[in-house]
Amino acid sequence: MYDPPPMIILGIETSCDETGVALYCTDRGLIAHRLHSQVDLHAVYGGVVPEIASRDHIRMLLPLIQQILNDTGLQKPDAIAYTAGPGLVGALMVGSGMANGLGLAWNCPVIPIHHMEGHLLAPMLEDEPPEYPFLALLVSGGHTMLIAVAALGDYNLLGTTLDDAVGEAFDKTAKLLGLGYPGGPALAALAETGDDQAYAFPRPMLNKPGLDFSFSGLKTAVMLEVKKVEAAGDIESRRADLAASFQRAAVDTLVGKAIRAAQEQKLERIVVAGGVGANQLLRTELAARFDGKVYYPRLEFCTDNGAMIAVAGAQRLAEAGDAGEIRAHARWSLDTLDVPSAA
Ligand code: KG4
Ligand code: ZN
């Protein structure tokens, strides 16, 4: 049987506020990765400023690629995978332009990757990767999606958010509570010290049929409560209870819908990916309430990174084209992707 030689794929992620690069070998797995976070640059503005993001990606991307090549002693990879969307167009253009330029210079194939497919495949970086089919719960700052994954590229979107993404709800609630940006991790840390039964916040759409989500009502409920507590001069003593009660409501909603989706689709595996997948309560609750097996990427690969783009590139090598087409899609629906035809 023909055994193809191992290939090394350079992964590039620049869709938002992290510059991520990685080298993934089809034989040995992940061999190097580096990440530069822009969090400090955007924190003063309370959210990501697109122009600042693009400029910082330009400043950091090439030196980071140089560093992982130096780390491994490699001259050049065999292929390049980059995030082509969805995301901030200016930020995406930096990764896309760099990937295509290097592809021309190195004469190697360049593969455009869907950012959410990267998140979805991130658990493939682990020692015990999930087998197909599985249910994916993709929870990030921009997305909240339930997807039935039959095979690579065969994605059926079962539910999505009608308004805010769950990560956005964490970030906005954190802001209301006077926590910094990004708020998710800070809110989760504060919640540890609070009573999650203190406030009965709504579990949006949990008891309605269907698998869509809505988080703006929950955010508004917290806002109204914060105003009341502030007016009473109690905010300092109630902050942790508010955080814990919000987190409990958000997690109950995610877990309830994910388990319902898995049961309806008769899927025994759930993959959780995206930044909110780092949330400890979400992990504990899913483990306690789901009968099947739950897979996660390691914590550092839950949030944006280059490794997930490199591993997705490895899976899509068969369709690698030549460098030359700069792709950057602000919006790009995951269920329009194709199953790669066998090369
Ligand atoms: O996937 P990601 O790095 O970027 C996007 O593509 O959006 O996700 C970032 C989101 C932010 O909203 C952040 O607040 C949230 O993930 N996040 C968390 C936690 N860690 C990150 N939310 C809740 N709990 C956490 N521990
Ligand atoms: Zn992401």
Side-chain angles (χ1 to χ4, degrees):
M1 205 178 86
Y2 174 66
D3 206 7
M7 288 184 75
I8 293 178
I9 298 101
L10 166 67
I12 297 177
E13 157 61 36
T14 63
S15 67
C16 190
D17 59 348
E18 326 267 359
T19 318
V21 296
L23 290 167
Y24 180 87
C25 173
T26 50
D27 214 22
R28 288 156 53 205
L30 186 67
I31 50 179
H33 72 97
R34 283 188 182 247
L35 186 81
H36 165 74
S37 172
Q38 304 178 349
V39 159
D40 293 346
L41 286 180
H42 301 291
V44 276
Y45 302 99
V48 178
V49 183
E51 178 66 19
I52 293 178
S54 312
R55 289 180 188 204
D56 201 57
H57 286 308
I58 290 177
R59 192 171 67 85
M60 291 309 296
L61 184 54
L62 201 50
L64 282 174
I65 293 172
Q66 196 76 61
Q67 278 170 10
I68 48 167
L69 289 175
N70 290 346
D71 290 347
T72 53
L74 202 72
Q75 294 284 316
K76 67 183 195 72
D78 301 303
I80 305 170
Y82 70 96
T83 304
L88 303 169
V89 166
L92 290 165
M93 295 283 278
V94 177
S96 178
M98 182 69 73
N100 281 283
L102 288 175
L104 282 175
W106 287 335
N107 191 26
C108 71
V110 177
I111 315 159
I113 297 294
H114 192 291
H115 180 78
M116 299 314 287
E117 180 171 74
H119 275 304
L120 172 77
L121 297 178
M124 303 290 179
L125 291 160
E126 303 307 325
D127 290 340
E128 239 192 279
E131 283 174 28
Y132 298 110
F134 55 78
L135 176 84
L137 172 65
L138 291 188
V139 277
S140 72
H143 299 272
T144 311
M145 300 196 283
L146 282 167
I147 302 155
V149 178
L152 177 71
D154 189 348
Y155 308 134
N156 181 14
L157 185 63
L158 304 171
T160 187
T161 179
L162 304 178
D163 40 58
D164 292 351
V166 64
E168 198 179 349
F170 267 87
D171 293 338
K172 287 179 175 169
T173 305
K175 208 169 180 176
L176 279 174
L177 293 174
L179 304 170
Y181 163 86
L187 188 141
L190 179 63
E192 300 243 326
T193 61
D195 171 8
D196 64 7
Q197 306 295 317
Y199 298 94
F201 290 135
R203 272 67 172 152
M205 300 177 72
L206 186 56
N207 298 320
K208 287 197 188 149
L211 294 167
D212 284 333
F213 300 92
S214 163
F215 287 101
S216 71
L218 170 59
K219 181 192 65 192
T220 307
V222 180
M223 186 180 75
L224 294 175
E225 201 58 53
V226 167
K227 280 194 175 148
K228 255 196 253 168
V229 173
E230 272 175 350
D234 286 341
I235 190 69
E236 280 316 317
S237 62
R238 305 314 304 268
R239 208 184 295 262
D241 290 347
L242 286 159
S245 303
F246 162 81
Q247 178 175 249
R248 170 62 63 179
V251 165
D252 272 354
T253 308
L254 293 176
V255 172
K257 291 248 158 156
I259 292 177
R260 191 195 298 168
Q263 283 166 349
E264 283 177 13
Q265 300 287 317
K266 303 196 174 24
L267 293 168
E268 288 160 9
R269 289 174 281 267
I270 297 182
V271 160
V272 183
V276 183
N279 187 275
Q280 208 49 53
L281 182 68
L282 176 62
R283 291 179 171 228
T284 328
E285 282 298 300
L286 262 181
R289 288 165 53 186
F290 182 54
D291 283 341
K293 196 159 162 48
V294 189
Y295 296 81
Y296 303 92
R298 74 196 82 161
L299 280 180
E300 64 183 315
F301 296 149
C302 278
T303 46
D304 292 350
N305 65 86
M308 68 185 195
I309 304 303
V311 77
Q315 301 232 353
R316 287 195 170 273
L317 264 177
E319 64 193 65
D322 291 326
E325 195 193 345
I326 310 274
R327 291 180 54 176
H329 313 294
R331 290 172 177 276
W332 184 10
S333 171
L334 188 64
D335 51 7
T336 61
L337 296 192
D338 291 326
V339 179
S341 50

